[in-house]
Amino acid sequence: MNAEAEAGAGSTGGAGNPAAATSGTGAGSETTRIHNIGYRNYDGMRLGRAYARRSLYSQSLRGAYGLGRSAKSKVLPMILFAVMCLPAAIVVAVAVATDLKSLPLEYTRYAIFTQAVIGLYLAAQAPQSVSRDLRFKTVPLYFSRPIECVDYVLAKYGAMASALFVLTGVPLVILYVGALLAKMDFVDQTKGFAQGMVSVALLSLLFGGLGLVMAALTPRRGFGVAAVIATLTISYGAVSTLQGIAWASDRLGAVQWIGLFSPVTLIDGVQTAFLGASSSFPGEAGPSAGVGVVYLLVVLALVLGSYAVLMRRYRKVGL
């Protein structure tokens, strides 16, 4: 009965109410209202894109080592980090115990020596950084506001490169500190340490970009892992095999140019040409300074190309 009374009152009010008649909307105006349910406007300071970009970078970098995630997510990156540091600690222990005058392993050679560990780390963490956003379709939410495509790409690329730099740089710090504790020549060790840090910084930019490109091509993490491993491992195996064949055939010039087709040998060639490193090419036939310029240009082209591919990919995904 209350419902009928309200309906009758509503229809009566609609016919006799001057406001309703004037609006010309009839009974429909009685069902259309704007309610104030108590939400308040935000009057505080808006931190903007720069803060959001830094936050995404920090979160991605922490996530690369499982920080802020479950205990299970910390196991693999921490194990790989420990495996990266273990040879450096052993080298330092041997150098101190035997009173060596120089380290048995050069700073610039360390990343080449441990490339398998670096590849496994990249294959595990690059898909984790970007594949979940693609799989759960959260990228458009990032781009709603205030982050734009360039902010997302810079934050993810920077975080991945930084994570690799930590992975490859900390063992060099262990070597350097151990060398100083063993009272090795300060100038020589500082020079070698600086050359090694430049080398791993370039490696981190190159590997980070290539890893993210491979991982961003598919939302499936397993495919991303396989793509990263294939890019690093197959290319290095093929290039090393071809270099060995060229060396056995006395085609020394071909050994240098074949090295352009693998990320690992690219870094090896650059540090051989410009950072005073010994080459891992057959017969240590590393590139000269002239060919080294080509190596450096190819590395820079791959870094910039990786950034361009990521920008193109996320402009499409963010639509």
Side-chain angles (χ1 to χ4, degrees):
M1 181 175 294
N2 291 336
E4 294 176 357
E6 289 180 2
S11 60
T12 304
N17 189 349
T22 302
S23 64
T25 58
S29 62
E30 295 295 324
T31 60
T32 304
R33 295 184 179 88
I34 298 177
H35 296 275
N36 183 358
I37 58 178
Y39 288 124
R40 293 183 299 175
N41 293 330
Y42 176 72
D43 298 325
M45 180 178 66
R46 298 187 181 275
L47 301 176
R49 287 174 56 190
Y51 179 82
R53 184 169 56 245
R54 288 194 302 270
S55 298
L56 181 58
Y57 166 82
S58 175
Q59 182 267 338
S60 300
L61 178 56
R62 286 166 51 84
Y65 286 94
L67 303 179
R69 301 171 59 201
S70 64
K72 181 181 178 181
S73 301
K74 297 178 176 66
V75 174
L76 182 59
M78 291 304 177
I79 289 177
L80 294 177
F81 180 77
V83 171
M84 278 292 295
C85 295
L86 182 60
I90 294 174
V91 168
V92 167
V94 171
V96 172
T98 58
D99 197 23
L100 295 177
K101 300 302 180 183
S102 62
L103 292 173
L105 182 63
E106 298 177 2
Y107 294 98
T108 50
R109 295 284 301 155
Y110 196 89
I112 305 298
F113 176 72
T114 56
Q115 60 174 291
V117 182
I118 299 172
L120 287 176
Y121 177 86
L122 181 64
Q125 300 308 316
Q128 181 274 328
S129 180
V130 297
S131 295
R132 291 188 303 170
D133 291 341
L134 294 171
R135 185 167 67 252
F136 296 117
K137 303 184 185 302
T138 58
V139 176
L141 298 179
Y142 280 109
F143 298 164
S144 59
R145 65 176 186 179
I147 285 182
E148 296 182 3
C149 177
V150 63
D151 302 311
Y152 184 89
V153 172
L154 285 175
K156 291 293 184 178
Y157 198 157
M160 194 71 257
S162 298
L164 286 172
F165 185 70
V166 171
L167 182 75
T168 54
V170 170
L172 300 189
V173 174
I174 295 174
L175 288 176
Y176 181 63
V177 172
L180 296 183
L181 291 176
K183 298 182 180 180
M184 298 180 186
D185 186 78
F186 175 79
V187 175
D188 289 343
Q189 295 303 316
T190 302
K191 179 181 177 181
F193 174 69
Q195 291 172 336
M197 294 301 283
V198 172
S199 175
V200 297
L202 197 59
L203 180 146
S204 300
L205 286 172
L206 177 61
F207 280 35
L210 293 176
L212 287 181
V213 167
M214 295 298 103
L217 293 178
T218 173
R220 296 184 178 275
R221 184 175 180 179
F223 291 164
V225 171
V228 173
I229 292 177
T231 300
L232 298 180
T233 304
I234 295 178
S235 64
Y236 179 72
V239 165
S240 298
T241 301
L242 293 175
Q243 284 180 325
I245 295 173
W247 174 259
S249 305
D250 291 330
R251 298 180 180 178
L252 305 185
V255 173
Q256 300 181 16
W257 295 108
I258 293 173
L260 293 170
F261 297 96
S262 168
V264 176
T265 53
L266 275 172
I267 298 299
D268 190 301
V270 170
Q271 66 183 18
T272 300
F274 300 112
L275 299 176
S278 58
S279 177
S280 63
F281 290 3
E284 295 188 357
S288 61
V291 180
V293 172
V294 179
Y295 272 71
L296 182 59
L297 291 176
V298 172
V299 170
L300 295 177
L302 287 174
V303 170
L304 295 176
S306 298
Y307 173 78
V309 171
L310 289 172
M311 286 291 295
R312 181 182 179 89
R313 169 64 170 158
Y314 282 100
R315 282 197 183 100
K316 180 179 179 181
V317 173
L319 294 177

